[in-house]
Amino acid sequence: MSAVTAQVIRTERLDLLPLRVEHAREMAAVLSDPALHTFIGGTPYTPEALRSRYERLTAGSPDPSVSWLNWVIRLRAEGPLTGTVQATVDGAVAEVAWVVGTSWQGRGIAGEAARGLVEWLGGQRVETVVAHVHPAHAASAAVATAAGLTPTGDWHDGEVRWSRSIAA
């Protein structure tokens, strides 16, 4: 499978925009709540540190057979960025993740973004989508469910592996 490149994905309310380094300042504010790190660890990035991270991400994977795909989520009607979705595509398998800023949570944004991402990945010849969800993170489990993933019972680094086959 050839490399996959992030493209704009539109859902009912959202635009998933391919990540750019210039998004770092706004996203640092969106992701500034330490509570977002309850299950993933670490602390919020400063705008400068997030800019450096985005430079690495937009440069792409050092392995040419793996695609790093990252988007920011924009709530179209209101205009601001609200979070991110990402996919690491290796062959016919994509590992996905999402995060929505705390002030935007509870509005279905993560679930809608994850559904849109999974649908788009199906058009890129991805056959299986996986995510890893902390067993105590009910909101993230709800997002995975909304995207059609189901828990497998397999564990990785203290998280449950969720999966969905999207093969045609």
Side-chain angles (χ1 to χ4, degrees):
M1 183 172 177
S2 60
V4 181
T5 304
Q7 300 169 7
V8 173
I9 302 170
R10 291 178 59 90
T11 67
E12 182 180 339
R13 300 177 299 151
L14 308 173
D15 292 324
L16 308 184
L17 306 171
L19 180 70
R20 294 191 334 253
V21 173
E22 295 77 22
H23 291 129
R25 183 154 304 282
E26 183 176 355
M27 287 306 302
V30 170
L31 303 175
S32 65
D33 186 347
L36 289 174
H37 295 267
T38 300
F39 296 105
I40 61 173
T43 58
Y45 287 103
T46 64
E48 296 76 20
L50 194 57
R51 182 178 181 83
S52 293
R53 177 171 171 72
Y54 286 1
E55 286 171 350
R56 289 188 303 276
L57 291 174
T58 58
S61 170
D63 181 343
S65 68
V66 175
S67 297
W68 289 350
L69 308 173
N70 296 273
W71 292 262
V72 292
I73 303 167
R74 181 176 66 200
L75 187 57
R76 194 176 308 116
E78 297 176 38
L81 301 180
T82 61
T84 64
V85 290
Q86 62 187 54
T88 299
V89 179
D90 187 355
V93 177
E95 183 166 341
V96 299
W98 48 82
V99 63
V100 170
T102 52
S103 62
W104 300 101
Q105 291 178 3
R107 297 172 63 177
I109 292 170
E112 184 176 334
R115 279 191 309 276
L117 174 59
V118 169
E119 289 172 16
W120 181 84
L121 287 166
Q124 308 306 307
R125 297 190 312 243
V126 167
E127 296 175 5
T128 303
V129 176
V130 299
H132 294 91
V133 177
H134 190 283
H137 198 324
S140 198
V143 172
T145 299
L149 282 74
T150 56
T152 66
D154 295 331
W155 290 73
H156 178 73
D157 290 337
E159 295 182 321
V160 177
R161 177 184 167 107
W162 290 60
S163 182
R164 175 181 173 185
S165 173
I166 55 175

